[in-house]
Amino acid sequence: MTELSAHLPQFQHGQLTENFPDNHLSNTNDSFERRRHDNSERRRNDNPDSETNGQPQNIQQVVEQDEEEDEELTLKYGAKHVIMLFVPVTLCMVVVVATIKSVSFYTRKDGQLIYTPFTEETETVGQRALNSILNAAIMISVIIVMTILLVVLYKYRCYKVIHGWLIISSLLLLFFFSFIYLGEVFKTYNVAMDYITVALMIWNFGVVGMICIHWKGPLRLQQAYLIMISALMALVFIKYLPEWTAWLILAVISVYDLVAVLCPKGPLRMLVETAQERNETLFPALIYSSTMIWLVNMAEEDPEAQQKAAKNATYDKQAPANQTRNEDAEADDGGFSQEWQQQRDNRIGPIESTPESRAAVQALPSNSQTSEDPEERGVKLGLGDFIFYSVLVGKASATASGDWNTTLACFVAILIGLCLTLLLLAIFKKALPALPISITFGLVFYFATDNLVQPFMDQLAFHQFYI
Amino acid sequence: MTLAVFFGCTFIAFGPALGLFLFTIARDPLRIIILIAGAFFWLVSLLLSSLIWFIAVKASDPQDEPLQKGLLIFGVMFSVLLQEAFRFLYYKLLRKAIEGLVALSEDGCSPISIQQMAYVAGVGFGLMSGAFSMINLLADSLGPGTVGIHGDSQLYFLTSAFMTMVLIFLHTFWGIIFFHGCEHRCWWEIAAVVIMHLTVSGSTFCNPLYVGSLVPSYLVMATAAAWAYMLSGGSARNLRRFLLCLQSGASPQLGS
């Protein structure tokens, strides 16, 4: 990682949000100044579509300069950014697979969500297929409704509602779901624990998480929390979605993602455009960003200049400047907080139950990259993408008969899909859905490996032949 | 069984590859991407060959043991050929990628050479091949059991680990030789790689007579290693200079 950070000063440029001045403070490099400058310019020039308020998991964006001399930088850069996304996606999948393999709670059938009311324990295959199609249809409808609701809320500036929605959902994730997770881990390893210690641990975990995600915090810590809540969410889905329903939902979600992001009347696209019209920021809290998370300021000169000045001051590491900067940021926070909240709300939505939260998460735009500066470009990926990748790999490890082979195959397929998506991003330079290619590869490889490769490898292992 | 066997076999099988990865590949993002793409290409070749085998098995009588074994042998040979075909396809893709990188670069140089790509592609193929052969075994070795309780060989895990290690190395060297052959239009090098691969896979048909499979495989690996070293610009002199430097700490007084 040291190497990466050495290069990063030249190449990192995240979208900047004032809500997290400390994030980039903690990742400060002197070159960030340069980056920021470049970023803002870039952003203005190159990113009409840079903000996508579409489904968070699916939109990635890389803005590059068109000059040829930068393209080699861009490509190399692109390689770095691919790795910057490979690492968190891999970590999330590793956490999910490790949990699935060790904690039996998440593979035990304890009922289904109300959004998938039809059972799959039917007598005939046809009935099962019908039930799973109905389940998937209901789930997708819920998601579509949620997304449209978010777009409507955003359009009519009901920022408070969205903000409250987001806060509630992250509260639920950080406290309740992690409490359950901790409890199950303790049960698996037969660890004796008292409630007071657990309360202390969960309280600290949750509060620090809320602060890091919604306010300011070190970048690595924020990234770690985002990975953890994505993993928790994915585990909940793996537990409560029956098998065929899960695969169907994954497939349909990819299609929906494609449609919602790329069609002119898609809800996500409309969200992005609305955000752009208002020069508002997207949702920093539910996007994983490999660099500091900044609120994207679409076309405003002054706020950016302010930010730049503030940040320059910050990077100069002068205490008064820092103070000033922070104050500016605070002052701006008031103005941006709503948008920020919106984004988060759009991202998460109400999370009373898993499907809703998933819908909410899904409804949040996933930004991949708004890299204005060739030197500073961060990579962003929506948390929904993390969640669905992990659901696919987790389901593969939970239910496949080929076991680790299938898991490994799905893992490689998803990484390659991500790589291809980023390549397309580099070519087309606009918001792109991150789910379709990866999920398609993942599904193809899951079914192919489970049904075709696994018997072959089994026979080979039995005779100890090597290919 | 359990942890000792698990860790032992894991490190035997994947230790050298892990070292190669950590010291030569992990620091360069472009190489990591080439590695994963290489693994993907191997996976696709395995998928297609499994499909063919599966169709053949479904079309045949499942009770006929010799036939099933014959089909399996056919499947192995076909898979080897398909792997080499996909290695060639990957070479084509990397060639195009290099042309793209060169076109985009400021100084007309690609950030990575085709030889480096050949090495990384070989490691990618090898790692994926080794992983697919070994991972389920490793997972099983963690659990309870007695190896060979029904009269099979008790060295099953150990020999699998050694075979996996040699295969990973072999894929690495074959990658270098193969790409060199494609670059310089030496078709006999490509043919040699295919024949070596067929030989090594064929030798595993002797299992559980491990002397018939492990020994030839290691001999082939030594040959391929020397050949790849020569093709990469190494020579006996280079080797001697390297070793002398290491021992004496001063530059050798050999002429070049």
Side-chain angles (χ1 to χ4, degrees):
Chain A
M1 288 310 271
T2 338
E3 244 195 14
L4 272 181
S5 15
H7 291 279
L8 281 176
Q10 297 176 359
F11 297 111
Q12 272 180 357
H13 229 329
Q15 291 182 342
L16 307 180
T17 145
E18 293 163 285
N19 284 345
F20 302 105
D22 289 346
N23 285 346
H24 55 265
L25 267 179
S26 53
N27 288 314
T28 291
N29 257 326
D30 286 340
S31 41
F32 279 179
E33 285 182 20
R34 269 181 281 131
R35 284 180 252 175
R36 242 172 302 124
H37 287 284
D38 292 338
N39 257 347
S40 2
E41 288 165 24
R42 229 24 97 99
R43 213 176 9 207
R44 272 173 252 129
N45 299 334
D46 301 337
N47 261 343
D49 296 329
S50 61
E51 275 129 28
T52 54
N53 285 346
Q55 288 174 346
Q57 65 262 19
N58 300 326
I59 305 177
Q60 293 184 359
Q61 213 177 20
V62 169
V63 177
E64 307 164 301
Q65 275 188 343
D66 294 331
E67 289 89 318
E68 264 197 12
E69 69 241 36
D70 294 320
E71 300 216 15
E72 197 255 334
L73 272 181
T74 300
L75 209 58
K76 242 189 188 162
Y77 205 47
K80 279 194 206 306
H81 287 127
V82 173
I83 301 304
M84 281 198 258
L85 280 187
F86 272 10
V87 172
V89 169
T90 308
L91 278 176
C92 192
M93 288 197 232
V94 162
V95 168
V96 169
V97 170
T99 308
I100 294 277
K101 287 291 180 194
S102 53
V103 180
S104 63
F105 171 74
Y106 288 103
T107 42
R108 209 162 58 219
K109 208 142 169 41
D110 285 338
Q112 296 178 201
L113 301 166
I114 60 168
Y115 296 93
T116 54
F118 298 97
T119 177
E120 282 195 13
E121 318 281 334
T122 59
E123 282 129 20
T124 67
V125 172
Q127 186 68 24
R128 184 176 187 187
L130 182 67
N131 281 358
S132 50
I133 290 175
L134 288 173
N135 280 339
I138 295 176
M139 187 68 104
I140 293 296
S141 323
V142 167
I143 289 171
I144 295 178
V145 163
M146 292 295 189
T147 316
I148 295 179
L149 180 66
L150 279 169
V151 174
V152 163
L153 280 176
Y154 189 67
K155 261 190 145 55
Y156 291 106
R157 300 175 188 268
C158 306
Y159 297 143
K160 290 269 181 260
V161 177
I162 298 177
H163 187 41
W165 199 4
L166 283 181
I167 294 274
I168 290 177
S169 19
S170 50
L171 270 177
L172 202 71
L173 268 175
L174 281 171
F175 287 95
F176 185 54
F177 287 160
S178 47
F179 171 66
I180 294 179
Y181 180 82
L182 198 63
E184 292 306 322
V185 169
F186 285 152
K187 278 186 213 166
T188 305
Y189 292 105
N190 207 17
V191 175
M193 183 62 68
D194 58 295
Y195 274 114
I196 301 177
T197 312
V198 166
L200 221 60
M201 289 195 319
I202 295 292
W203 172 255
N204 279 303
F205 178 79
V207 168
V208 176
M210 291 298 284
I211 293 176
C212 271
I213 294 174
H214 296 271
W215 194 46
K216 310 174 189 181
L219 179 70
R220 290 285 175 234
L221 197 58
Q222 185 182 32
Q223 291 174 339
Y225 267 104
L226 290 175
I227 293 176
M228 279 190 267
I229 64 175
S230 307
L232 280 176
M233 197 64 140
L235 284 169
V236 171
F237 282 142
I238 293 172
K239 180 174 172 61
Y240 288 111
L241 288 179
E243 226 184 291
W244 289 21
T245 310
W247 298 120
L248 267 178
I249 287 180
L250 278 172
V252 181
I253 281 280
S254 315
V255 173
Y256 171 61
D257 198 26
L258 197 63
V259 164
V261 173
L262 296 180
C263 287
K265 280 301 167 194
L268 299 181
R269 188 133 167 192
M270 282 171 53
L271 215 47
V272 180
E273 286 161 7
T274 316
Q276 288 179 0
E277 283 166 28
R278 298 180 190 172
N279 291 327
E280 284 171 353
T281 62
L282 295 178
F283 307 107
L286 282 184
I287 308 176
Y288 175 92
S289 169
S290 61
T291 60
M292 312 171 293
I293 299 185
W294 296 62
L295 285 174
V296 172
N297 220 344
M298 289 299 284
E300 292 298 328
E301 295 272 350
D302 291 343
E304 285 174 20
Q306 240 181 0
Q307 290 179 26
K308 279 182 237 178
K311 281 161 187 134
N312 289 341
T314 309
Y315 295 140
D316 290 340
K317 312 244 197 279
Q318 295 164 10
N322 280 340
Q323 294 299 324
T324 316
R325 188 182 160 288
N326 284 338
E327 283 161 23
D328 287 341
E330 304 298 300
D332 285 336
D333 278 346
F336 281 102
S337 59
Q338 284 182 340
E339 294 162 356
W340 178 81
Q341 293 165 5
Q342 281 170 6
Q343 294 169 353
R344 296 228 23 238
D345 290 334
N346 287 346
R347 227 169 263 153
I348 307 184
I351 302 188
E352 288 95 27
S353 65
T354 321
E356 279 177 340
S357 50
R358 190 171 66 87
V361 168
Q362 205 173 356
L364 291 173
S366 48
N367 297 328
S368 298
Q369 272 190 4
T370 304
S371 39
E372 288 80 13
D373 190 358
E375 296 213 328
E376 286 185 11
R377 285 180 217 176
V379 181
K380 290 180 194 291
L381 186 62
L383 285 200
D385 293 324
F386 278 84
I387 292 174
F388 284 113
Y389 293 161
S390 305
V391 166
L392 197 149
V393 174
K395 266 281 187 228
S397 75
T399 61
S401 55
D403 222 18
W404 288 99
N405 282 347
T406 316
T407 311
L408 197 58
C410 290
F411 169 71
V412 172
I414 288 180
L415 286 187
I416 291 292
L418 191 58
C419 203
L420 283 176
T421 310
L422 284 171
L423 188 67
L424 283 180
L425 207 55
I427 296 174
F428 290 110
K429 302 184 177 59
K430 53 183 277 217
L432 286 184
L435 275 189
I437 301 181
S438 286
I439 298 288
T440 310
F441 277 4
L443 287 176
V444 165
F445 273 82
Y446 170 78
F447 288 109
T449 310
D450 206 30
N451 297 312
L452 300 175
V453 175
Q454 185 261 339
F456 186 47
M457 298 306 290
D458 252 0
Q459 283 296 306
L460 290 180
F462 180 71
H463 290 101
Q464 218 171 1
F465 292 168
Y466 280 82
I467 54 172
Chain B
M1 296 281 280
T2 66
L3 277 185
V5 173
F6 172 75
F7 279 114
C9 288
T10 306
F11 289 131
I12 290 175
F14 295 111
L18 191 67
L20 286 178
F21 175 76
L22 281 178
F23 290 121
T24 58
I25 299 177
R27 293 187 178 265
D28 188 357
L30 203 51
R31 291 184 195 180
I32 298 181
I33 295 176
I34 296 175
L35 182 88
I36 306 244
F40 180 74
F41 270 74
W42 186 89
L43 199 57
V44 175
S45 82
L46 177 68
L47 217 116
L48 290 177
S49 50
S50 316
L51 179 66
I52 304 291
W53 174 82
F54 191 78
I55 294 175
V57 162
K58 285 299 177 200
S60 69
D61 175 18
Q63 306 302 327
D64 191 356
E65 287 300 327
L67 178 65
Q68 294 301 316
K69 189 151 186 196
L71 279 180
L72 194 63
I73 292 179
F74 159 72
V76 168
M77 295 289 128
F78 186 74
S79 175
V80 167
L81 294 174
L82 213 55
Q83 283 176 47
E84 298 305 327
F86 269 81
R87 206 194 295 271
F88 181 71
L89 284 177
Y90 195 38
Y91 164 75
K92 284 276 178 232
L93 181 72
L94 287 179
R95 259 254 73 84
K96 283 213 166 50
I98 279 203
E99 286 166 16
L101 285 173
V102 166
L104 296 175
S105 76
E106 295 176 6
D107 52 357
C109 291
S110 162
I112 188 172
S113 71
I114 191 72
Q115 289 87 2
Q116 291 169 345
M117 280 184 170
Y119 161 72
V120 176
V123 175
F125 267 60
L127 271 178
M128 204 57 180
S129 163
F132 259 65
S133 314
M134 202 62 197
I135 272 203
N136 276 332
L137 291 185
L138 291 175
D140 284 339
S141 75
L142 265 179
T146 306
V147 189
I149 196 170
H150 291 296
D152 303 303
S153 165
Q154 292 183 7
L155 298 174
Y156 184 80
F157 283 132
L158 260 186
T159 51
S160 299
F162 277 107
M163 197 66 207
T164 305
M165 174 175 81
V166 81
L167 259 186
I168 297 181
F169 274 136
L170 277 171
H171 272 292
T172 310
F173 302 137
W174 287 334
I176 299 173
I177 300 173
F178 195 95
F179 277 43
H180 183 268
C182 291
E183 276 289 293
H184 299 268
R185 301 275 185 267
C186 298
W187 304 117
W188 63 276
E189 282 178 7
I190 299 175
V193 167
V194 178
I195 291 176
M196 274 195 274
H197 197 165
L198 284 171
T199 312
V200 168
S201 283
S203 72
T204 63
F205 297 152
C206 300
N207 284 337
L209 187 66
Y210 296 120
V211 71
S213 70
L214 280 178
V215 172
S217 304
Y218 275 87
L219 289 175
V220 172
M221 184 193 86
T223 316
W227 196 359
Y229 183 66
M230 297 296 171
L231 288 180
S232 306
S235 64
R237 176 174 296 154
N238 277 352
L239 198 57
R240 197 159 52 128
R241 289 179 70 176
F242 166 70
L243 290 173
L244 281 180
C245 276
L246 210 56
Q247 287 171 1
S248 68
S251 44
Q253 295 168 3
L254 300 166
S256 49

